[in-house]
């Protein structure tokens, strides 16, 4: 494993360390989604991770402009051996309650991410154990060399060990269940903001942490986040000045927003791919008209559903350009992607009908289809259109839509026969997607979002090899081979890579990130 050794002084730690601006401001922003918990290891969700980052920090993080790895709570790291990496922690960092951040907290937090109830196991894949060396130093022992370790650490936020023990939150909340711990509704980190209040589905408020170790580039001292499900209501809130920014304006409103005298739209391609998954495990699908067998176990049926979807129409008519058709599970920014692997199978209704007939389903069948209605751009409308397209080949999809806070726990319980999922890649490496989505369900993060329970021996072999492969060309070829295998076996039905526009007042300066995350440390209100 080649791991860059870093030693960085506090003054040069991040691009964000600049002189604070004289005038402070309140920043009010909105998007369609609400988070499900404040427990930092309970539910792995991009919107939630971005909001958590205001309060909880990580050992390393991406620079918002360059996406290079930067030190945050760790200032140095070096290989003691290929399977032992030593981290030196930033001194003088305090939690929001005034207690000192030490190696005990880092060891505890990384170990907590490895718990059975954690949804962050893909980020600790390959970890064997975490060991304290002294108050400012700890070691990560690996089961094998890990070429993406520093990228994994960008999503492993740090919690106070003493706070968790005091408040009976030692283990992460199980997102699949209804039991709550203290950390579910309360937060206490080392970050630039404190969580002042959270009223689910209403708003959450953050205040600047006056004792934060860093220095702000931006000037925001208060953040007010409001989840607004209705696209028209979100846009109306921006037009009226009720909010300063909307993370997810509707495609049909973009022309008006771009031409507004006091507004602007900043956009770019997200590292997120939208796709459909299918239950390939049950011997009989729940809610299907097919009895005694599961049609999705037949690759011909899966391919038929794929070829019956006219993605160009979806991206043109419903997404209005905010989606780029794809044939694979990762976006072009992600290691392992190639033009060849990203090529779609052709849209062909007649070929799809033949595949259905060859599989013994010439008359089609009924099946359950679940989608979120407030997570991705026009998610519900996309699913409605796909339902109509499948009807042309006799597949009668019974669509049900749910808000994301109930949708994700539901699909993680494998309660949907077909489901929509959008998968961003915070490590910018296809292993994150492959291990989570197509590796056979197991331990240590294997298949943690493989909710259709796809299983392929060759895929498992490739993913396990990729985890520890340090020869970059060999590893790159294996990533691409695994993505192509996913395509060939139709593990999922890829649709498009999302393009994300942010609409805001012209007085707002932000750094647009490919992970759709608002880095509040950089936001300026002019």
């Amino acid at each position: 494993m080649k791991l860059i050794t870093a030693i960085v002084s506090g003054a040069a730690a991040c691009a964000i360390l600049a002189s604070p601006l004289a005038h402070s401001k309140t920043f009010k922003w909105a998007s369609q989604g609400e988070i499900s918990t404040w427990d930092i290891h309970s539910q792995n969700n991009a919107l939630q991770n971005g909001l958590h980052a205001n309060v909880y920090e990580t050992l390393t993080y991406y620079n918002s402009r360059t996406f290079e790895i930067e030190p945050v709570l760790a200032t140095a790291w070096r290989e003691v051996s290929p399977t032992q990496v030593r981290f030196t922690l930033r001194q003088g960092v305090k939690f929001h309650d005034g207690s000192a951040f030490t190696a005990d907290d880092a060891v505890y937090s990384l170990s907590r991410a490895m718990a059975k109830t954690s949804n962050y196991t893909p980020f600790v894949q390959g970890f064997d154990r975490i060991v304290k060396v002294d108050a400012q130093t700890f070691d990560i022992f690996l089961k094998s060399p890990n070429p993406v370790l520093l990228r994994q650490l960008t999503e492993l936020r740090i919690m106070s060990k003493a706070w968790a023990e005091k408040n009976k939150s030692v283990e992460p909340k199980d997102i699949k269940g209804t039991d709550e711990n203290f950390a579910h509704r309360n937060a206490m980190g080392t970050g630039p903001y404190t969580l002042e209040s959270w009223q689910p589905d209403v708003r959450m408020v953050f205040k600047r942490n006056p004792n934060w170790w860093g220095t702000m580039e931006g000037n925001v001292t208060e953040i007010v986040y409001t989840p607004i499900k209705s696209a028209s209501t979100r846009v109306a809130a921006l037009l009226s000045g009720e909010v300063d920014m909307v993370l997810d304006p509707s495609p049909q409103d973009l022309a008006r927003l771009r031409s507004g005298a006091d507004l602007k739209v900043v956009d770019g391609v997200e590292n997120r791919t939208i796709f459909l998954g299918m239950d390939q495990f049950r011997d009989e699908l729940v809610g299907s008209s097919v009895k005694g067998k599961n049609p999705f176990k037949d690759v011909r049926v899966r391919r038929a559903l794929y070829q019956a979807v006219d993605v160009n129409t979806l991206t043109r008519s419903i997404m209005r350009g905010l989606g780029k058709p794809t044939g694979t599970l990762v976006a072009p920014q992600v290691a392992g992607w190639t033009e060849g692997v990203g090529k779609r199978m052709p849209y062909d209704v007649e070929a799809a009908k033949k595949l259905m007939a060859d599989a013994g389903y010439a008359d089609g069948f009924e099946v359950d289809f679940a989608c979120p209605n407030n997570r991705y751009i026009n998610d519900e409308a996309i699913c409605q259109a796909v339902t109509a397209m499948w009807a042309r080949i006799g597949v009668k999809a019974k669509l049900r839509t749910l808000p994301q806070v109930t949708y994700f726990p539901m699909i993680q319980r494998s309660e949907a026969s077909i489901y929509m999922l959008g998968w961003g890649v915070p490590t910018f490496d296809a292993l994150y997607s492959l291990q989570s989505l197509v590796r056979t369900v197991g331990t240590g993060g294997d298949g943690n979002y493989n909710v259709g329970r796809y299983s392929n021996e060759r895929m498992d072999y490739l993913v396990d090899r990729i985890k520890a492969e340090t020869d970059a060309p060999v590893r790159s070829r294996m990533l691409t081979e695994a993505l192509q295998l996913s395509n060939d076996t139709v593990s999922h039905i890829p649709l498009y890579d999302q393009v994300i526009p942010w609409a805001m007042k012209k007085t707002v300066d932000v750094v647009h990130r490919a992970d759709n995350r608002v880095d509040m440390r950089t936001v300026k209100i002019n």
Side-chain angles (χ1 to χ4, degrees), residues 205-238:
V205 179
F206 305 83
K207 300 284 189 181
R208 264 291 300 273
N209 171 17
N211 300 314
W212 184 50
W213 57 269
T215 306
M216 281 281 179
E217 173 184 333
N219 63 349
V220 173
T221 55
E222 180 183 54
I223 309 164
V224 178
Y225 172 74
T226 305
I228 305 175
K229 180 181 175 181
S230 165
S232 59
T233 305
R234 288 196 303 278
V235 169
L238 179 63

mmCIF file of all heavy atoms in Angstrom, residues 205-238:
data_model
loop_
_atom_site.group_PDB
_atom_site.id
_atom_site.type_symbol
_atom_site.label_atom_id
_atom_site.label_comp_id
_atom_site.label_asym_id
_atom_site.label_seq_id
_atom_site.Cartn_x
_atom_site.Cartn_y
_atom_site.Cartn_z
ATOM 1 N N VAL A 205 -31.446 24.234 13.458
ATOM 2 C CA VAL A 205 -30.692 25.480 13.618
ATOM 3 C C VAL A 205 -29.312 25.169 14.180
ATOM 4 O O VAL A 205 -29.181 24.374 15.128
ATOM 5 C CB VAL A 205 -31.434 26.462 14.550
ATOM 6 C CG1 VAL A 205 -30.621 27.745 14.722
ATOM 7 C CG2 VAL A 205 -32.830 26.772 14.012
ATOM 8 N N PHE A 206 -28.300 25.791 13.575
ATOM 9 C CA PHE A 206 -26.914 25.643 14.027
ATOM 10 C C PHE A 206 -26.366 27.020 14.398
ATOM 11 O O PHE A 206 -26.715 28.023 13.775
ATOM 12 C CB PHE A 206 -26.031 25.070 12.921
ATOM 13 C CG PHE A 206 -26.493 23.768 12.332
ATOM 14 C CD1 PHE A 206 -27.463 23.750 11.322
ATOM 15 C CD2 PHE A 206 -25.964 22.563 12.753
ATOM 16 C CE1 PHE A 206 -27.879 22.561 10.759
ATOM 17 C CE2 PHE A 206 -26.376 21.360 12.193
ATOM 18 C CZ PHE A 206 -27.336 21.364 11.200
ATOM 19 N N LYS A 207 -25.474 27.061 15.385
ATOM 20 C CA LYS A 207 -24.786 28.294 15.769
ATOM 21 C C LYS A 207 -23.281 28.086 15.655
ATOM 22 O O LYS A 207 -22.769 26.984 15.906
ATOM 23 C CB LYS A 207 -25.125 28.674 17.217
ATOM 24 C CG LYS A 207 -26.603 28.919 17.485
ATOM 25 C CD LYS A 207 -27.083 30.260 16.959
ATOM 26 C CE LYS A 207 -28.505 30.557 17.439
ATOM 27 N NZ LYS A 207 -28.991 31.849 16.928
ATOM 28 N N ARG A 208 -22.567 29.159 15.305
ATOM 29 C CA ARG A 208 -21.118 29.083 15.223
ATOM 30 C C ARG A 208 -20.529 28.673 16.571
ATOM 31 O O ARG A 208 -20.947 29.153 17.626
ATOM 32 C CB ARG A 208 -20.510 30.442 14.845
ATOM 33 C CG ARG A 208 -20.219 30.654 13.382
ATOM 34 C CD ARG A 208 -19.092 29.815 12.804
ATOM 35 N NE ARG A 208 -17.834 30.079 13.474
ATOM 36 C CZ ARG A 208 -16.995 31.057 13.131
ATOM 37 N NH1 ARG A 208 -17.316 31.885 12.157
ATOM 38 N NH2 ARG A 208 -15.872 31.213 13.775
ATOM 39 N N ASN A 209 -19.556 27.786 16.521
ATOM 40 C CA ASN A 209 -18.817 27.364 17.706
ATOM 41 C C ASN A 209 -17.677 28.348 17.939
ATOM 42 O O ASN A 209 -16.700 28.348 17.188
ATOM 43 C CB ASN A 209 -18.282 25.948 17.490
ATOM 44 C CG ASN A 209 -17.326 25.498 18.571
ATOM 45 O OD1 ASN A 209 -17.274 26.084 19.652
ATOM 46 N ND2 ASN A 209 -16.566 24.452 18.282
ATOM 47 N N PRO A 210 -17.766 29.209 18.957
ATOM 48 C CA PRO A 210 -16.738 30.244 19.151
ATOM 49 C C PRO A 210 -15.378 29.668 19.529
ATOM 50 O O PRO A 210 -14.362 30.364 19.419
ATOM 51 C CB PRO A 210 -17.315 31.104 20.285
ATOM 52 C CG PRO A 210 -18.225 30.184 21.028
ATOM 53 C CD PRO A 210 -18.812 29.267 19.993
ATOM 54 N N ASN A 211 -15.364 28.421 19.959
ATOM 55 C CA ASN A 211 -14.113 27.804 20.395
ATOM 56 C C ASN A 211 -13.555 26.813 19.380
ATOM 57 O O ASN A 211 -12.683 26.005 19.712
ATOM 58 C CB ASN A 211 -14.332 27.089 21.733
ATOM 59 C CG ASN A 211 -14.795 28.042 22.814
ATOM 60 O OD1 ASN A 211 -14.233 29.125 22.973
ATOM 61 N ND2 ASN A 211 -15.844 27.670 23.536
ATOM 62 N N TRP A 212 -14.065 26.885 18.139
ATOM 63 C CA TRP A 212 -13.561 25.978 17.109
ATOM 64 C C TRP A 212 -12.085 26.236 16.854
ATOM 65 O O TRP A 212 -11.640 27.385 16.830
ATOM 66 C CB TRP A 212 -14.371 26.169 15.828
ATOM 67 C CG TRP A 212 -14.012 25.219 14.730
ATOM 68 C CD1 TRP A 212 -13.898 23.872 14.823
ATOM 69 C CD2 TRP A 212 -13.716 25.558 13.374
ATOM 70 N NE1 TRP A 212 -13.571 23.326 13.601
ATOM 71 C CE2 TRP A 212 -13.453 24.349 12.687
ATOM 72 C CE3 TRP A 212 -13.662 26.766 12.660
ATOM 73 C CZ2 TRP A 212 -13.129 24.307 11.330
ATOM 74 C CZ3 TRP A 212 -13.358 26.726 11.317
ATOM 75 C CH2 TRP A 212 -13.087 25.512 10.664
ATOM 76 N N TRP A 213 -11.337 25.166 16.623
ATOM 77 C CA TRP A 213 -9.881 25.269 16.452
ATOM 78 C C TRP A 213 -9.490 25.953 15.141
ATOM 79 O O TRP A 213 -8.391 26.502 15.014
ATOM 80 C CB TRP A 213 -9.247 23.884 16.488
ATOM 81 C CG TRP A 213 -9.803 22.927 15.452
ATOM 82 C CD1 TRP A 213 -10.847 22.077 15.611
ATOM 83 C CD2 TRP A 213 -9.354 22.770 14.106
ATOM 84 N NE1 TRP A 213 -11.082 21.374 14.443
ATOM 85 C CE2 TRP A 213 -10.175 21.775 13.500
ATOM 86 C CE3 TRP A 213 -8.332 23.351 13.343
ATOM 87 C CZ2 TRP A 213 -10.010 21.368 12.180
ATOM 88 C CZ3 TRP A 213 -8.172 22.946 12.026
ATOM 89 C CH2 TRP A 213 -8.999 21.958 11.463
ATOM 90 N N GLY A 214 -10.387 25.907 14.111
ATOM 91 C CA GLY A 214 -10.049 26.471 12.807
ATOM 92 C C GLY A 214 -10.462 27.915 12.679
ATOM 93 O O GLY A 214 -10.965 28.539 13.615
ATOM 94 N N THR A 215 -10.249 28.462 11.478
ATOM 95 C CA THR A 215 -10.656 29.831 11.164
ATOM 96 C C THR A 215 -11.505 29.801 9.908
ATOM 97 O O THR A 215 -11.136 29.161 8.933
ATOM 98 C CB THR A 215 -9.425 30.733 10.939
ATOM 99 O OG1 THR A 215 -8.573 30.640 12.072
ATOM 100 C CG2 THR A 215 -9.852 32.172 10.727
ATOM 101 N N MET A 216 -12.611 30.495 9.958
ATOM 102 C CA MET A 216 -13.579 30.452 8.862
ATOM 103 C C MET A 216 -13.138 31.255 7.639
ATOM 104 O O MET A 216 -12.662 32.371 7.771
ATOM 105 C CB MET A 216 -14.921 31.015 9.330
ATOM 106 C CG MET A 216 -15.747 30.055 10.137
ATOM 107 S SD MET A 216 -16.574 28.896 9.041
ATOM 108 C CE MET A 216 -17.411 27.911 10.295
ATOM 109 N N GLU A 217 -13.362 30.679 6.466
ATOM 110 C CA GLU A 217 -13.272 31.448 5.232
ATOM 111 C C GLU A 217 -14.574 32.217 5.037
ATOM 112 O O GLU A 217 -14.583 33.342 4.558
ATOM 113 C CB GLU A 217 -13.050 30.504 4.045
ATOM 114 C CG GLU A 217 -13.105 31.190 2.698
ATOM 115 C CD GLU A 217 -12.986 30.211 1.542
ATOM 116 O OE1 GLU A 217 -12.379 29.142 1.718
ATOM 117 O OE2 GLU A 217 -13.519 30.523 0.461
ATOM 118 N N GLY A 218 -15.684 31.581 5.410
ATOM 119 C CA GLY A 218 -16.989 32.210 5.273
ATOM 120 C C GLY A 218 -17.341 33.073 6.465
ATOM 121 O O GLY A 218 -16.559 33.226 7.405
ATOM 122 N N ASN A 219 -18.564 33.623 6.453
ATOM 123 C CA ASN A 219 -18.976 34.538 7.518
ATOM 124 C C ASN A 219 -20.309 34.150 8.151
ATOM 125 O O ASN A 219 -20.973 34.961 8.781
ATOM 126 C CB ASN A 219 -19.064 35.971 6.983
ATOM 127 C CG ASN A 219 -20.135 36.120 5.887
ATOM 128 O OD1 ASN A 219 -20.667 35.147 5.387
ATOM 129 N ND2 ASN A 219 -20.415 37.364 5.506
ATOM 130 N N VAL A 220 -20.713 32.901 7.980
ATOM 131 C CA VAL A 220 -22.010 32.459 8.496
ATOM 132 C C VAL A 220 -21.887 32.072 9.969
ATOM 133 O O VAL A 220 -21.094 31.209 10.330
ATOM 134 C CB VAL A 220 -22.537 31.260 7.681
ATOM 135 C CG1 VAL A 220 -23.796 30.690 8.314
ATOM 136 C CG2 VAL A 220 -22.798 31.686 6.242
ATOM 137 N N THR A 221 -22.664 32.723 10.807
ATOM 138 C CA THR A 221 -22.648 32.404 12.239
ATOM 139 C C THR A 221 -23.892 31.649 12.683
ATOM 140 O O THR A 221 -23.916 31.090 13.776
ATOM 141 C CB THR A 221 -22.533 33.697 13.076
ATOM 142 O OG1 THR A 221 -23.592 34.576 12.715
ATOM 143 C CG2 THR A 221 -21.190 34.364 12.856
ATOM 144 N N GLU A 222 -24.928 31.639 11.848
ATOM 145 C CA GLU A 222 -26.121 30.856 12.148
ATOM 146 C C GLU A 222 -26.611 30.202 10.855
ATOM 147 O O GLU A 222 -26.639 30.833 9.802
ATOM 148 C CB GLU A 222 -27.233 31.730 12.729
ATOM 149 C CG GLU A 222 -28.502 30.939 13.065
ATOM 150 C CD GLU A 222 -29.629 31.825 13.573
ATOM 151 O OE1 GLU A 222 -29.979 32.798 12.863
ATOM 152 O OE2 GLU A 222 -30.169 31.544 14.668
ATOM 153 N N ILE A 223 -26.972 28.925 10.946
ATOM 154 C CA ILE A 223 -27.521 28.191 9.806
ATOM 155 C C ILE A 223 -28.930 27.752 10.176
ATOM 156 O O ILE A 223 -29.150 27.214 11.260
ATOM 157 C CB ILE A 223 -26.693 26.937 9.480
ATOM 158 C CG1 ILE A 223 -25.199 27.264 9.345
ATOM 159 C CG2 ILE A 223 -27.218 26.253 8.228
ATOM 160 C CD1 ILE A 223 -24.316 26.038 9.414
ATOM 161 N N VAL A 224 -29.857 27.974 9.264
ATOM 162 C CA VAL A 224 -31.215 27.470 9.437
ATOM 163 C C VAL A 224 -31.525 26.592 8.229
ATOM 164 O O VAL A 224 -31.571 27.084 7.088
ATOM 165 C CB VAL A 224 -32.249 28.606 9.554
ATOM 166 C CG1 VAL A 224 -33.655 28.023 9.692
ATOM 167 C CG2 VAL A 224 -31.922 29.518 10.720
ATOM 168 N N TYR A 225 -31.696 25.310 8.469
ATOM 169 C CA TYR A 225 -32.042 24.384 7.394
ATOM 170 C C TYR A 225 -33.510 23.991 7.512
ATOM 171 O O TYR A 225 -33.974 23.593 8.581
ATOM 172 C CB TYR A 225 -31.180 23.119 7.434
ATOM 173 C CG TYR A 225 -31.660 22.075 6.441
ATOM 174 C CD1 TYR A 225 -31.431 22.251 5.089
ATOM 175 C CD2 TYR A 225 -32.381 20.964 6.871
ATOM 176 C CE1 TYR A 225 -31.905 21.338 4.162
ATOM 177 C CE2 TYR A 225 -32.862 20.033 5.950
ATOM 178 C CZ TYR A 225 -32.617 20.222 4.602
ATOM 179 O OH TYR A 225 -33.091 19.309 3.691
ATOM 180 N N THR A 226 -34.240 24.085 6.388
ATOM 181 C CA THR A 226 -35.665 23.765 6.375
ATOM 182 C C THR A 226 -35.944 22.716 5.309
ATOM 183 O O THR A 226 -35.675 22.959 4.122
ATOM 184 C CB THR A 226 -36.508 25.017 6.062
ATOM 185 O OG1 THR A 226 -36.184 26.054 6.991
ATOM 186 C CG2 THR A 226 -37.994 24.710 6.159
ATOM 187 N N PRO A 227 -36.470 21.550 5.695
ATOM 188 C CA PRO A 227 -36.891 20.572 4.679
ATOM 189 C C PRO A 227 -38.242 20.982 4.107
ATOM 190 O O PRO A 227 -39.198 21.179 4.849
ATOM 191 C CB PRO A 227 -36.984 19.268 5.479
ATOM 192 C CG PRO A 227 -37.251 19.686 6.887
ATOM 193 C CD PRO A 227 -36.640 21.045 7.065
ATOM 194 N N ILE A 228 -38.310 21.144 2.782
ATOM 195 C CA ILE A 228 -39.558 21.529 2.111
ATOM 196 C C ILE A 228 -39.782 20.535 0.978
ATOM 197 O O ILE A 228 -39.103 20.589 -0.057
ATOM 198 C CB ILE A 228 -39.494 22.968 1.557
ATOM 199 C CG1 ILE A 228 -39.130 23.968 2.672
ATOM 200 C CG2 ILE A 228 -40.817 23.346 0.912
ATOM 201 C CD1 ILE A 228 -38.930 25.393 2.169
ATOM 202 N N LYS A 229 -40.731 19.644 1.157
ATOM 203 C CA LYS A 229 -40.938 18.557 0.191
ATOM 204 C C LYS A 229 -41.381 19.069 -1.170
ATOM 205 O O LYS A 229 -40.907 18.608 -2.209
ATOM 206 C CB LYS A 229 -41.965 17.565 0.740
ATOM 207 C CG LYS A 229 -42.235 16.406 -0.183
ATOM 208 C CD LYS A 229 -43.272 15.456 0.390
ATOM 209 C CE LYS A 229 -43.633 14.365 -0.606
ATOM 210 N NZ LYS A 229 -44.656 13.432 -0.096
ATOM 211 N N SER A 230 -42.281 20.033 -1.206
ATOM 212 C CA SER A 230 -42.850 20.521 -2.461
ATOM 213 C C SER A 230 -41.842 21.390 -3.219
ATOM 214 O O SER A 230 -41.319 22.372 -2.681
ATOM 215 C CB SER A 230 -44.115 21.338 -2.180
ATOM 216 O OG SER A 230 -44.481 22.097 -3.311
ATOM 217 N N ALA A 231 -41.589 21.043 -4.487
ATOM 218 C CA ALA A 231 -40.648 21.815 -5.300
ATOM 219 C C ALA A 231 -41.133 23.245 -5.504
ATOM 220 O O ALA A 231 -40.351 24.200 -5.427
ATOM 221 C CB ALA A 231 -40.443 21.127 -6.646
ATOM 222 N N SER A 232 -42.418 23.416 -5.757
ATOM 223 C CA SER A 232 -42.943 24.762 -5.985
ATOM 224 C C SER A 232 -42.852 25.609 -4.725
ATOM 225 O O SER A 232 -42.559 26.815 -4.792
ATOM 226 C CB SER A 232 -44.398 24.689 -6.459
ATOM 227 O OG SER A 232 -45.211 24.030 -5.505
ATOM 228 N N THR A 233 -43.055 24.984 -3.570
ATOM 229 C CA THR A 233 -42.960 25.729 -2.306
ATOM 230 C C THR A 233 -41.517 26.122 -2.025
ATOM 231 O O THR A 233 -41.248 27.219 -1.520
ATOM 232 C CB THR A 233 -43.520 24.888 -1.145
ATOM 233 O OG1 THR A 233 -44.852 24.488 -1.465
ATOM 234 C CG2 THR A 233 -43.538 25.678 0.146
ATOM 235 N N ARG A 234 -40.565 25.233 -2.360
ATOM 236 C CA ARG A 234 -39.148 25.576 -2.178
ATOM 237 C C ARG A 234 -38.770 26.782 -3.031
ATOM 238 O O ARG A 234 -38.112 27.718 -2.569
ATOM 239 C CB ARG A 234 -38.246 24.390 -2.544
ATOM 240 C CG ARG A 234 -38.259 23.257 -1.568
ATOM 241 C CD ARG A 234 -37.082 22.318 -1.777
ATOM 242 N NE ARG A 234 -36.978 21.746 -3.107
ATOM 243 C CZ ARG A 234 -37.650 20.704 -3.539
ATOM 244 N NH1 ARG A 234 -38.545 20.127 -2.750
ATOM 245 N NH2 ARG A 234 -37.465 20.228 -4.766
ATOM 246 N N VAL A 235 -39.177 26.758 -4.289
ATOM 247 C CA VAL A 235 -38.843 27.856 -5.193
ATOM 248 C C VAL A 235 -39.530 29.143 -4.739
ATOM 249 O O VAL A 235 -38.931 30.232 -4.775
ATOM 250 C CB VAL A 235 -39.227 27.496 -6.641
ATOM 251 C CG1 VAL A 235 -39.148 28.724 -7.546
ATOM 252 C CG2 VAL A 235 -38.304 26.405 -7.163
ATOM 253 N N ALA A 236 -40.773 29.033 -4.289
ATOM 254 C CA ALA A 236 -41.485 30.221 -3.793
ATOM 255 C C ALA A 236 -40.763 30.816 -2.589
ATOM 256 O O ALA A 236 -40.679 32.045 -2.447
ATOM 257 C CB ALA A 236 -42.916 29.849 -3.420
ATOM 258 N N ALA A 237 -40.210 29.951 -1.727
ATOM 259 C CA ALA A 237 -39.474 30.431 -0.554
ATOM 260 C C ALA A 237 -38.219 31.186 -0.978
ATOM 261 O O ALA A 237 -37.847 32.201 -0.370
ATOM 262 C CB ALA A 237 -39.111 29.256 0.353
ATOM 263 N N LEU A 238 -37.567 30.723 -2.043
ATOM 264 C CA LEU A 238 -36.385 31.427 -2.551
ATOM 265 C C LEU A 238 -36.777 32.751 -3.193
ATOM 266 O O LEU A 238 -36.149 33.792 -2.942
ATOM 267 C CB LEU A 238 -35.654 30.536 -3.557
ATOM 268 C CG LEU A 238 -34.405 31.132 -4.208
ATOM 269 C CD1 LEU A 238 -33.328 31.419 -3.163
ATOM 270 C CD2 LEU A 238 -33.856 30.191 -5.281
#
